Amino acid sequence: MFGSHSTTLPPTTPRRRSVARTISQFLFASLLVLLMLAGQGDASAQSTQAQISVTARAGFGDSGTYLIGEWIPVRVTLTNPAGGESLKVRVQIDSKGPDDGITTGTYALDVDLPSPSRKEVTLYTYSGGFTRRFQVKVLQGNTTIKTVDVDAEPFEPPSNMIVAVVSSDPSLLNVLKGEPVAHVVNSLPPGGYLYGSYSSTYQPYGLNANTGGLATVAHITLDDIAPLSQSLDSLGALILDDVDSGTLSGEQRASIEAWVSRGGTLIAAVRTAGADTTAGIANLLPVNLSGTRNVSSLSSLGELVATPLTTTGQVSIGNATLRTDGASNSRALAVQDGVPLVAVREIGLGRVIYMGLSPAIAPLKNWDGTLPLVKRLLADRPLRLSYGAFLRFSPGRGYYMGSLYNTYGAMFALPALDLPDPWLLAGFLLLYIIFIGPVNFIILRRMRRTELAWITVPVLVGLFSVVAYLLAYQSKGGELVSIEANSVNTYPGVEQATLTQQFGLFSPVRRTYQISLPAESVVTEMNSYGYYQAGTDGSSRVLGGNTTTISNVNINTWSLKGFVAEHTAKAQSPVETSLHLGDNIIIGTVKNRTNTPLQDVALVRGDSVRHLGFLAPGQQIDVRMDVSSRRYDNASPVNILPPPGSVSAPSAGVPYPYSGGQGNSPEQRTYNRKVELLSAALYPLLYDTPPLDMNVIVLAWGPSVPTSFDVEGHTTNKEELTVWADIAPITASGNDQAKLSAGKVPYIVYAPSNNPSWLPWNGDLSLPNVSSGPGPVPTASPIYPVTPTPYPGYTPPAQGVEVAPYADLQYSLPSGTRPDSLDFNYSIDAISTDGDIDLLAYNVESGKWDVLGTWPAAGTSQTASTKGTLTIPDPAQYVTPGGSVTIRLQAKGNRATLTNATLNLSLNEK
């Protein structure tokens, strides 16, 4: 009989299986939960993405025009409909380098989006090249929930000029497209630098010196005017017509004012039956408006551009009177029946122009003179990059735009960034070799313990490693060091100052930092030389708002990162000036209006420089300086920034004088940095021309700016410098007799048929050449050096100007001039003409052109040299309150050419 066979399992096996089953069930359930959560997250993100709508527009106009290097406004509209989830999102855009594929940083804004809501925000970016598409991202946390591509149309500066038109007429001034407008401005070349075998003024990249900038018309709305003023720097002109400027916000108005002060042109045209174009900008206008009135003719407008304008019946225009309250630099260009039709006011480096009737309606709409009129109004606009765009422009191009001083690499120079002294390295290595080798061997051999080498060698290596670290630490530095260099440009009568703040942070260890600035700013990351884009990683992020934050600033050990922040703020110059004209000399007082000492205070006008030095708080001193009619001599900064005794000044003819060889003392580095900062402050103020107005540049080093960088969570060893640059007008008031000899009165020539049509002119120079001339002579500058001999054997070409049908000479006298006599002095080698040339002067009291005299053609096509002096009768009626005098040469025939002409005005006041 067989018994049954059974196997007894270990008592713990079922329990283990139960535990394993429980664990597997738990893991499976957890996986399901995670998958469900992920699905819900995806669904939530998809739901959010589906609910939020995002649209964006970049630049200006339908095509998104912008200038390469300038900041570009990107307007983003976010809509969160009813029933959706209330969100907090981050909207960001990348900035591009010279290659479309290189991202150099991001600009972002945090936005609260309750449901329902619709919000509009403005982001800012730039491009160093021809970027035609940008991408806007909307993020919720670290998740991108929406992306929008934004098209743009780049134009290369300064050979292009964007004219923005805000009007109810969508085609207004389209006829301006492709026309040459404004005028070329050359920066001064780096100090004393010789290019080839002759002293050069650099030709801006892509510049057509003979035609100026080609106009591009962009139709925009008032909402497209961003509150950050630097975003308007792509615009050469802003024209308002039949729009209610009273709807502009306070930030937008301040933005426009600051942009004008930096050189922009604002034109406001009045439609008597339309919207109030002037309501929001009345404080900027050259006129006071009081309703409308009718005039029977617009003949003065036709005379302004020598194009007849016929009207039938009464014409309704704005009832304007020229301003004299705090705007004495306003002047009328055309007056009808005692009412200004066109008037202009200089504000800082720019101008605001008033038109008493709109070019969009009859009788101007179909008038042949509308295009010549607008080109005349835009002629004074200089074409030049902003300083920030000069730094950001593509490699090689920006440099040739011209910098005042060649200080490449001086801004963020620190001993910690230098290579160690070669002699120190050589000595250290020599000692290391001697001790590790011969000394160690000799000592151990004498001790008869050579087997200890396995101990002594590691000990010596460790000891020398410690010494090497200490030497490097001492050489490189162990402190967190920040360098802040501020340049502040202020303008009389303008509340908004333009600030360019350069900031470098040196870290002794590898670390990530966050930097903040208590102002809404646009920020560019620069390299350690304070020039161009820093790198290609695009790691730093800029979060905009009332406080601008730069996050994710990754700095390697013993390295530096630099940034440039640009913005505006309410500020006034620390220097108060009162300057007036004497007998060919500028006389007045300069006062420190602050509670802070001022260093190296200086006055500059052309090559006349008056260094005043130290000014204690509240101190006032008397000044006298010559009236110069030559351009500023920038061979060395010594005359406006004398170096301390132990410091070397730059040497003329040496390229990149600060890149090495001048010592590494703290005093030398500070001076080098001040020179580079001086270049930034003077960049918009000094051109490759003699003075073109009766203003003086005032420089002072001293009080800090109202905004300062902060490295969050860290204390730095801070080095700070601030330079203030202001424009001070010269008036005719004072107890001294005002006189200006022939050749001392600055003026410009506007000759519409000439090429170029806008010519800077000065009595010490002949009229600029209208053709290129032989040899490698710089053609970008319309003025030759005072001694036009670029190289031995060179003969300058004949210089002439076309008068067809007219050429206007606009002279600048001191504000408030009431002359007892004005003499028009002329010397012309030859006049080629087929008819007489009338000499006219614009009568500011009657608004008419009065005939002063005639240069007869003498019945031939070629008139011999003409020379003489014409005393202007009753001269006070030809001078505006701001000191402007306009004399016209008008050809009675088809055309006249003046060769080698010198046309000067001289002033005498009793």
Side-chain angles (χ1 to χ4, degrees):
M1 180 177 178
F2 296 96
S4 62
H5 177 77
S6 63
T7 303
T8 304
L9 296 175
T12 58
T13 298
R15 185 178 300 173
R16 288 177 179 175
R17 288 180 177 175
S18 176
V19 171
R21 186 180 300 110
T22 301
I23 293 175
S24 63
Q25 292 174 347
F26 174 78
L27 291 175
F28 181 72
S30 299
L31 180 60
L32 288 177
V33 170
L34 290 174
L35 291 174
M36 292 176 62
L37 290 175
Q40 290 177 358
D42 290 342
S44 176
Q46 292 172 2
S47 175
T48 301
Q49 186 173 359
Q51 290 180 8
I52 293 179
S53 63
V54 182
T55 60
R57 293 189 300 128
F60 299 93
D62 293 337
S63 60
T65 58
Y66 72 91
L67 291 185
I68 297 174
E70 300 289 2
W71 285 103
I72 310 164
V74 181
R75 292 161 296 282
V76 181
T77 302
L78 304 164
T79 303
N80 190 5
E85 179 185 358
S86 295
L87 302 171
K88 183 174 183 178
V89 297
R90 175 165 293 184
V91 190
Q92 73 177 38
I93 189 169
D94 294 334
S95 298
K96 300 292 183 180
D99 187 301
D100 284 0
I102 296 178
T103 299
T104 60
T106 63
Y107 182 95
L109 286 170
D110 287 336
V111 183
D112 289 322
L113 279 179
S115 176
S117 65
R118 181 180 183 274
K119 291 191 176 182
E120 294 185 357
V121 296
T122 303
L123 308 177
Y124 304 96
T125 186
Y126 67 88
S127 173
F130 288 89
T131 304
R132 299 185 180 275
R133 179 167 294 178
F134 297 92
Q135 187 176 78
V136 174
K137 296 181 180 179
V138 181
L139 296 91
Q140 187 177 13
N142 293 322
T143 303
T144 300
I145 61 175
K146 201 77 171 179
T147 61
V148 177
D149 288 336
V150 187
D151 293 331
E153 186 176 5
F155 287 87
E156 195 167 31
S159 54
N160 293 280
M161 175 172 161
I162 300 174
V163 179
V165 179
V166 188
S167 174
S168 59
D169 184 348
S171 62
L172 179 62
L173 296 181
N174 282 349
V175 68
L176 194 63
K177 183 177 180 180
E179 291 287 334
V181 292
H183 68 274
V184 172
V185 164
N186 288 332
S187 302
L188 285 163
Y193 179 57
L194 298 180
Y195 181 67
S197 58
Y198 60 89
S199 179
S200 170
T201 52
Y202 291 122
Q203 176 170 341
Y205 183 89
L207 185 65
N208 188 338
N210 290 331
T211 60
L214 299 181
T216 295
V217 179
H219 291 275
I220 66 172
T221 68
L222 290 178
D223 292 337
D224 294 330
I225 299 174
L228 194 60
S229 180
Q230 280 71 17
S231 67
L232 299 179
D233 285 345
S234 278
L235 302 181
L238 174 62
I239 300 177
L240 306 181
D241 168 74
D242 194 29
V243 290
D244 184 6
S245 65
T247 61
L248 291 169
S249 67
E251 292 81 4
Q252 287 178 306
R253 299 180 193 188
S255 176
I256 292 173
E257 181 181 17
W259 167 74
V260 169
S261 71
R262 293 195 301 273
T265 297
L266 173 65
I267 300 178
V270 171
R271 287 201 203 186
T272 55
D276 191 353
T277 303
T278 65
I281 56 171
N283 64 312
L284 302 178
L285 293 176
V287 298
N288 292 314
L289 278 175
S290 177
T292 63
R293 64 166 294 174
N294 293 330
V295 294
S296 58
S297 170
L298 297 175
S299 58
S300 62
L301 198 58
E303 292 172 358
L304 176 61
V305 291
T307 304
L309 176 57
T310 58
T311 58
T312 57
Q314 299 287 309
V315 180
S316 181
I317 63 171
N319 186 25
T321 56
L322 201 65
R323 288 183 58 178
T324 57
D325 53 328
S328 60
N329 54 355
S330 299
R331 67 183 188 275
L333 300 182
V335 175
Q336 192 71 45
D337 299 341
V339 181
L341 288 176
V342 180
V344 59
R345 177 188 175 190
E346 309 291 334
I347 298 180
L349 302 179
R351 56 212 49 81
V352 178
I353 298 172
Y354 161 82
M355 295 181 63
L357 65 169
S358 170
I361 59 176
L364 298 191
K365 184 173 184 178
N366 298 316
W367 176 43
D368 291 340
T370 298
L371 179 59
L373 173 62
V374 176
K375 292 177 67 173
R376 166 70 185 268
L377 299 182
L378 298 179
D380 283 356
R381 209 293 182 184
L383 294 175
R384 186 162 73 164
L385 288 167
S386 67
Y387 182 73
F390 162 73
L391 294 176
R392 290 185 295 270
F393 211 46
S394 298
R397 300 178 183 176
Y399 176 74
Y400 290 104
M401 291 302 300
S403 176
L404 184 65
Y405 298 111
N406 226 342
T407 54
Y408 187 78
M411 181 59 70
F412 296 137
L414 280 172
L417 301 180
D418 290 339
L419 292 173
D421 189 337
W423 290 106
L424 178 63
L425 287 177
F428 177 81
L429 291 175
L430 180 62
L431 289 175
Y432 178 78
I433 293 171
I434 291 175
F435 273 86
I436 290 293
V439 172
N440 184 41
F441 177 76
I442 292 172
I443 293 175
L444 291 179
R445 185 173 181 181
R446 288 185 176 181
M447 293 174 60
R448 297 181 180 180
R449 300 292 302 273
T450 54
E451 70 277 5
L452 295 179
W454 67 275
I455 297 177
T456 58
V457 170
V459 169
L460 287 173
V461 170
L463 178 62
F464 272 89
S465 298
V466 172
V467 173
Y469 176 81
L470 293 176
L471 287 174
Y473 191 85
Q474 180 67 26
S475 172
K476 290 289 186 179
E479 293 183 300
L480 187 64
V481 179
S482 64
I483 299 172
E484 185 170 336
N486 311 306
S487 61
V488 188
N489 289 96
T490 60
Y491 305 97
V494 179
E495 288 187 347
Q496 299 293 320
T498 294
L499 284 75
T500 303
Q501 298 183 257
Q502 303 189 50
F503 183 79
L505 183 64
F506 167 80
S507 177
V509 296
R510 181 181 177 86
R511 185 169 292 172
T512 299
Y513 299 92
Q514 182 164 296
I515 303 170
S516 61
L517 185 69
E520 185 178 21
S521 305
V522 280
V523 179
T524 310
E525 184 176 339
M526 313 302 289
N527 59 25
S528 60
Y529 295 100
Y531 192 79
Y532 190 50
Q533 288 93 347
T536 60
D537 60 354
S539 59
S540 299
R541 303 187 185 98
V542 178
L543 182 64
N546 293 330
T547 296
T548 301
T549 302
I550 313 170
S551 62
N552 203 37
V553 181
N554 300 315
I555 306 180
N556 291 325
T557 303
W558 286 329
S559 298
L560 179 143
K561 273 200 174 183
F563 301 90
V564 176
E566 303 168 77
H567 60 101
T568 59
K570 285 188 176 182
Q572 63 178 351
S573 170
V575 180
E576 181 180 312
T577 58
S578 176
L579 303 175
H580 60 272
L581 181 65
D583 186 354
N584 288 289
I585 197 168
I586 300 168
I587 306 169
T589 59
V590 173
K591 180 181 179 180
N592 179 357
R593 71 171 89 193
T594 72
N595 296 322
T596 304
L598 299 178
Q599 307 288 339
D600 288 312
V601 179
L603 306 181
V604 181
R605 186 178 185 277
D607 67 352
S608 178
V609 177
R610 182 77 167 86
H611 181 261
L612 306 178
F614 178 85
L615 278 184
Q619 182 182 1
Q620 176 177 298
I621 61 174
D622 297 330
V623 296
R624 297 172 68 91
M625 64 185 298
D626 295 333
V627 176
S628 170
S629 56
R630 297 177 184 272
R631 77 170 195 178
Y632 176 70
D633 177 11
N634 66 316
S636 172
V638 170
N639 52 351
I640 55 176
L641 191 63
S646 59
V647 171
S648 300
S651 301
V654 178
Y656 307 121
Y658 296 113
S659 57
Q662 291 198 352
N664 294 322
S665 69
E667 295 79 11
Q668 182 69 61
R669 292 176 183 276
T670 299
Y671 183 76
N672 295 351
R673 189 172 297 133
K674 291 180 74 172
V675 170
E676 183 156 342
L677 189 56
L678 190 65
S679 294
L682 290 177
Y683 176 87
L685 304 176
L686 292 176
Y687 305 149
D688 182 28
T689 61
L692 300 178
D693 52 38
M694 293 301 295
N695 292 326
V696 170
I697 300 170
V698 183
L699 297 168
W701 299 79
S704 299
V705 294
T707 56
S708 181
F709 286 93
D710 178 66
V711 183
E712 298 183 9
H714 297 275
T715 300
T716 67
N717 182 1
K718 189 172 185 178
E719 301 180 17
E720 182 178 359
L721 290 170
T722 302
V723 60
W724 296 74
D726 189 39
I727 294 178
I730 304 171
T731 68
S733 61
N735 298 323
D736 299 276
Q737 183 179 6
K739 289 185 179 180
L740 282 174
S741 300
K744 298 293 186 181
V745 180
Y747 63 108
I748 62 99
V749 178
Y750 178 73
S753 62
N754 207 80
N755 193 14
S757 59
W758 191 97
L759 303 169
W761 206 354
N762 187 273
D764 284 359
L765 301 175
S766 296
L767 196 67
N769 184 28
V770 296
S771 61
S772 295
V777 180
T779 58
S781 172
I783 278 191
Y784 286 107
V786 175
T787 304
T789 54
Y791 54 85
Y794 168 74
T795 301
Q799 301 179 31
V801 64
E802 297 291 337
V803 181
Y806 71 94
D808 284 348
L809 319 176
Q810 183 179 307
Y811 295 87
S812 293
L813 298 172
S815 175
T817 297
R818 302 298 294 174
D820 291 289
S821 68
L822 282 177
D823 292 333
F824 180 62
N825 307 275
Y826 54 91
S827 175
I828 308 169
D829 283 358
I831 303 177
S832 176
T833 180
D834 54 6
D836 294 346
I837 298 177
D838 284 338
L839 304 181
L840 311 174
Y842 185 72
N843 191 316
V844 300
E845 297 178 2
S846 67
K848 302 293 184 180
W849 291 92
D850 296 339
V851 179
L852 301 179
T854 301
W855 289 333
T860 66
S861 62
Q862 184 73 26
T863 299
S865 61
T866 301
K867 184 176 184 180
T869 298
L870 176 65
T871 298
I872 300 176
D874 197 6
Q877 62 184 331
Y878 301 107
V879 184
T880 69
S884 179
V885 177
T886 304
I887 292 179
R888 171 170 289 186
L889 311 179
Q890 185 157 316
K892 290 186 176 180
N894 293 324
R895 183 180 298 272
T897 302
L898 278 60
T899 304
N900 290 340
T902 302
L903 308 171
N904 291 319
L905 200 66
S906 58
L907 164 71
N908 283 285
E909 270 192 341
K910 295 181 181 178

